[in-house]
Amino acid sequence: MTKDKRNYQTCSSPWVKCIYGRLAFLCLAAAAIRYWLIFFSKYQSLIADHIEVSTPLNAWKRVKEGLYLFSIGINPYYGDMLHETPTSLFFYQFITESLGLSTGHIFIIFDIITATFLFLVTRQYMFMVYIEREENKSSYSKNIEEYLYTNENFRRAPLYVAATFLFNPYTILNCVGFTTTVFFNFFLSVFLYLLLSRKFFLCSLFLAFCTSMSFYSIILVVPMCLHAYKQFNGNFRAIFSMISFLVNFLVIMFIGHLLDKTDSFLENVYGFIITVPDLKPNIGLFWYFFTEMFDHFRELFIYSFQINATILYLIPLALKFHNDVFLLITALLYISTIFKSYPCVGDVGLVLSLLPCYKHLFNYSQQQFLILVIYIISFCLGPIVWHLWIYSNSANANFYFGVTLAFAVAQIFLVTDILFVHIKREFCLYFGKKSRIGGKEAILVLE
């Protein structure tokens, strides 16, 4: 064990003694809430059918129908019903048949495991931040203690992340609604843990799984390569991680070809994500715009929207935040969640659960109250406006899109606020709060 590792554990030793006990208590409490909503309440079917929770890409009803068609020898990709890859379908069949548990129990177990991995991810990230603080402390400016991570941040952040995931209304609805986003979040959390643990081959394997399930995850290849380059001070590991990802992804696609035999899943899964043929309302921005768009402009704006959701922000963010890969990943996940074609509350819930990693930035956030208010209002108004529009016929699509647009604006404000405050904090660490304006001393204040 290195000296830095011993020092890190020593600074948190009073907390380490009971941290896993507290995590177990949180997991049991969260599992009890999910268990009651699934097995004892009347809301499970209502939640599962709601458009904020289920989309054409993640609805469990479609998976069950696909598994049934597959079992009787009918290709489930004929038609427009199933949008899961054959490997994902095989995985769902394996876990439902081999575990011998009901669907509700399986979803609860995977949600709890995901929270545990996020807890471990945060511990790894906090250790990396601790090492960076100790190595660079001598180069920091004077009187900047308020901008540093404290030992309390190191100790409490993992539990805060786990608690945010376990008791977040978005992740609870995602689990209770039986969406395959639960499994995607599991694979993504394992990818993050392996990435920060520097196990790049396994990391690339799980990223390939994530990309096969949600094509937008391919943008995480860049932070994976950046982290490999930073950790091993060379191009070899970065190139190796890239090649490993490509090989693993091609193997997954080949297995899908063997299971499907017709390759029709490519159009039904990735073609469906890219071309957005189903314009049923969701919490994203695609459906309303392309409902109103003239058909002869459709391809132009499809390309524009998809570029916006993938590579448009990737290069500038990677250049600016290459030294903090986890922050880069958080920003990219937020952006893909906002601009992807079929988002759901499960995607939002995962990225929100990463926020306690940056708790030290909250005091300098400029828009946190506004963001919180918009989140609460949009969360409450969304189902109400949907009911008024569809069932009461006393509203129209503009009402619901107004709510989803406000929700997207809140997410944009949130990610930009975190990134700007992080940049200001980095400046203060090395140059201090004091500066000169017009030859006179001034103080740079993070507000």
Side-chain angles (χ1 to χ4, degrees), residues 70 75-77 86 255-266:
F70 188 76
N75 191 329
Y77 298 102
I255 294 173
H257 166 74
L258 295 179
L259 294 172
D260 181 34
K261 298 183 177 61
T262 63
D263 289 336
S264 57
F265 76 92
L266 294 175

Side-chain angles (χ1 to χ4, degrees), residues 335-439:
I335 291 170
S336 65
T337 298
I338 297 167
F339 296 112
K340 68 195 302 186
S341 51
Y342 295 99
C344 68
V345 294
D347 300 318
V348 181
L350 179 72
V351 292
L352 282 178
S353 65
L354 301 178
L355 286 182
C357 294
Y358 314 104
K359 182 177 178 295
H360 62 289
L361 302 176
F362 291 173
N363 292 334
Y364 313 110
S365 174
Q366 296 180 353
Q367 301 164 341
Q368 56 183 338
F369 177 74
L370 176 63
I371 294 169
L372 177 62
V373 170
I374 297 177
Y375 263 106
I376 294 174
I377 292 176
S378 59
F379 181 78
C380 297
L381 275 184
I384 296 173
V385 174
W386 175 258
H387 182 84
L388 293 175
W389 174 26
I390 300 300
Y391 297 101
S392 299
N393 200 26
S394 57
N396 56 44
N398 296 322
F399 287 73
Y400 188 77
F401 180 69
V403 175
T404 60
L405 185 61
F407 185 64
V409 168
Q411 295 180 83
I412 294 171
F413 281 178
L414 179 59
V415 66
T416 53
D417 213 18
I418 291 174
L419 295 180
F420 287 156
V421 172
H422 175 81
I423 294 172
K424 292 178 182 179
R425 172 183 175 272
E426 288 293 311
F427 178 86
C428 288
L429 286 178
Y430 291 97
F431 299 100
K433 294 186 294 183
K434 292 186 177 181
S435 182
R436 286 184 174 273
I437 299 177

